[in-house]
Amino acid sequence: MSYSTSAALDPGAQAGGNVSAMDATYRKIAWRLIPFLVFLFVLAWIDRVNVGFAKLSMLQDLQFSEAVYGLGAGIFFIGYFLFEVPSNLLLEKIGARKTLARITILWGLASMAMAYVTTPASFYILRFLLGVFEAGFFPGVVLYLTYWFPAQRRARVNGLFMTSFAIAGAVGGPIAGLIMSGMEGVGHLANWQWLFIIEGIPSLLAGFAVLAWLPEKPANAKWLTDAEKTAVTQTLAAENSAPGKHFSFKDACANYRVWICAAVYFCVVSGNATIAFWAPSIIKEIGIKGNLQIGLISAIPFIAGTLAMVWNGIHSDKTGERRMHSAIATLIACIGLIATGLTLGNATIALCSLTVAAIGILAAFPVFWSIPGAFLAGTAAAGGIALINSIGNLAGFVAPYMIGALKTSTGSLSSGLYFVAALEFLASFLVVVFVKKH
């Protein structure tokens, strides 16, 4: 099967809209892999950001300041940064199943251990270890999907996988609210302690499920026919041998586009970290009371973001355009964050503004991650994707810390929101100026 045959992979390319055999094959692969990968990332995301809900009572119980919380929330990304590239390079060598299982089991254990934090030092250490253990999961999945889907399908596939961000926000808030409302004082533990324990157990169990469910590559998938395995493998092999692809990690590091992507992703992640770690506090600040109510309302921006994420990925694949789909999304995020900061005194308008910000932030992700795959393959893809993600995710340290520090010094969340909005605007600028048109 030649690379030119891949034109048939677009359902819209078929006369009368008929679905080709390859469309059916990719749909089969997506149904088998994506729901499980989404489930895993929902667990990872909940365990990463549930500290934002624990904060509502943990800070008072432990006498932590907002700055201590901001540093602890963000230090996760230092561990993430240091170990992400090695983890993804290891995945390329030993395979996805072992790597993703190891990551999932260890982050579940670290999350459960958060229930026993007593000092700022123990808070920082466990958050750092959570980052170390989770390092490599997200870029590992992005890399894993390149083993199955050709470039022209990746924006929508990435969008489907990355709905896990929004699904986690939509279900994580209400679940956290229920746990914290219903478990106060049970077994002599605080509600925030139960939050970490209860939400860590599923991750521990899911790690073992990875070994049973995920095949390494199409050739190992027992649920594909021999013809389907051959067609998918040959399509990807032809695509990866196309001119202009970089294959070694050294090539990736020497490519200026990798560093531009890393800078853009840093800006995008700053917005995502703001929504994830500070949405409960923002909602509380605009006057919403009660853990359950805060949890339920915090789901609204993520639900809207889910729809925007899927639509933007599908539309980008349909049109073949990546650049403006990314830039417009981050510009919308900038506008939404500024409006949220300006309207914190009006609950309805502030919530609407926060929702606009979430729409822009989440819509940027699936299209952005289709860009590196256009010029990276093989080990360059493994290392390059991890490098972009690890550097970008340093924003997960910078944004929460800066927001916490600025709130401690000014008494308001607005200045921190404006800081992150400026980063979102910078993302739009970098994409428009430096990312090539496709």
Side-chain angles (χ1 to χ4, degrees), residues 14 32 42 220 225 239 285 292-293 313 315 378:
Q14 299 299 309
R32 175 76 182 196
V42 166
N220 308 115
T225 66
E239 178 178 276
E285 183 141 321
L292 180 57
Q293 288 83 355
H315 193 265

Side-chain angles (χ1 to χ4, degrees), residues 45-46 48-59 69 168-180 191-192 195-196 199 275-281 283-284 290-299 302:
W45 190 254
I46 286 174
R48 180 192 299 189
V49 306
N50 58 9
V51 68
F53 289 93
K55 169 184 182 286
L56 299 176
S57 56
M58 183 177 74
L59 265 61
Y69 167 74
V171 304
I175 291 172
L178 284 171
I179 293 171
M180 292 187 67
N191 56 2
W192 60 269
L195 179 66
F196 289 125
E199 293 192 340
I275 299 296
F277 290 120
W278 288 94
S281 297
I283 291 168
K284 185 176 182 179
N291 292 326
L292 180 57
Q293 288 83 355
I294 291 172
L296 290 170
I297 291 174
S298 70
F302 287 99

Side-chain angles (χ1 to χ4, degrees), residues 5 17 39 47 116 121 131 137 142 164 188 198 208 212 218 271 285 294 312 323-324 330 373 381:
T5 309
F39 173 68
D47 287 343
Y116 302 99
F137 180 78
V142 172
S164 49
H188 305 291
I198 291 173
F208 295 100
E285 183 141 321
I294 291 172
N312 206 35
R323 190 163 153 267
M324 295 311 297
T330 49

Side-chain angles (χ1 to χ4, degrees), residues 44-407:
W45 190 254
I46 286 174
D47 287 343
R48 180 192 299 189
V49 306
N50 58 9
V51 68
F53 289 93
K55 169 184 182 286
L56 299 176
S57 56
M58 183 177 74
L59 265 61
Q60 182 176 352
D61 289 351
L62 300 180
Q63 297 299 299
F64 288 176
S65 69
E66 296 281 352
V68 167
Y69 167 74
L71 178 57
I75 205 169
F76 164 95
F77 293 98
I78 301 298
Y80 200 88
F81 169 77
L82 293 175
F83 287 86
E84 192 163 34
V85 171
S87 179
N88 231 33
L89 292 175
L90 185 62
L91 183 152
E92 179 76 0
K93 285 189 175 183
I94 70 171
R97 291 169 66 252
K98 292 179 181 178
T99 302
L100 296 180
R102 179 257 304 167
I103 289 171
T104 309
I105 291 169
L106 289 178
W107 94 54
L109 291 171
S111 181
M112 294 168 67
M114 283 287 296
Y116 302 99
V117 163
T118 56
T119 64
S122 60
F123 181 44
Y124 299 151
I125 290 169
L126 283 174
R127 286 290 297 175
F128 176 80
L129 287 176
L130 185 64
V132 169
F133 295 149
E134 194 188 317
F137 180 78
F138 177 80
V141 171
V142 172
L143 176 64
Y144 181 64
L145 292 175
T146 68
Y147 299 161
W148 297 83
F149 297 94
Q152 71 182 78
R153 289 179 176 267
R154 285 180 197 151
R156 81 177 66 189
V157 170
N158 288 341
L160 291 173
F161 166 61
M162 292 173 197
T163 57
S164 49
F165 296 167
I167 292 170
V171 304
I175 291 172
L178 284 171
I179 293 171
M180 292 187 67
S181 296
M183 298 300 290
E184 177 65 48
V186 175
H188 305 291
L189 295 176
N191 56 2
W192 60 269
Q193 291 176 299
W194 279 116
L195 179 66
F196 289 125
I197 293 171
I198 291 173
E199 293 192 340
I201 291 172
S203 296
L204 180 63
L205 299 176
F208 295 100
V210 169
L211 298 173
W213 190 259
L214 288 184
E216 290 291 347
K217 292 185 177 180
N220 308 115
K222 296 179 181 178
W223 34 269
L224 290 178
T225 66
D226 290 341
E228 289 169 339
K229 292 176 186 178
T230 300
V232 172
T233 300
Q234 290 184 353
T235 298
L236 292 169
E239 178 178 276
N240 288 335
S241 65
K245 289 275 189 175
H246 297 270
F247 286 89
S248 74
F249 184 50
K250 182 179 178 181
D251 289 338
C253 291
N255 191 323
Y256 81 94
R257 289 180 290 180
V258 169
W259 299 99
I260 293 296
C261 285
V264 171
Y265 197 56
F266 180 95
C267 297
V268 174
V269 170
S270 68
N272 199 38
T274 299
I275 299 296
F277 290 120
W278 288 94
S281 297
I282 293 170
I283 291 168
K284 185 176 182 179
E285 183 141 321
I286 64 179
I288 307 301
K289 305 298 182 184
N291 292 326
L292 180 57
Q293 288 83 355
I294 291 172
L296 290 170
I297 291 174
S298 70
I300 295 173
F302 287 99
I303 292 171
T306 302
L307 299 175
M309 179 182 283
V310 173
W311 180 87
N312 206 35
I314 292 173
H315 193 265
S316 177
D317 272 355
K318 183 177 179 180
T319 61
E321 201 284 326
R322 310 300 191 194
R323 190 163 153 267
M324 295 311 297
H325 280 78
S326 294
I328 292 173
T330 49
L331 184 60
I332 290 171
C334 169
I335 294 169
L337 288 167
I338 291 173
T340 303
L342 290 172
T343 60
L344 285 177
N346 186 310
T348 302
I349 298 177
L351 181 60
C352 291
S353 300
L354 186 64
T355 301
V356 169
I359 286 171
I361 291 163
L362 293 173
F365 277 93
V367 181
F368 170 82
W369 278 114
S370 67
I371 294 172
F375 59 89
L376 297 174
T379 303
I385 288 170
L387 183 64
I388 291 166
N389 196 57
S390 61
I391 293 174
N393 270 289
L394 285 176
F397 169 78
V398 174
Y401 177 73
M402 286 299 296
I403 292 172
L406 288 169
K407 185 179 180 184

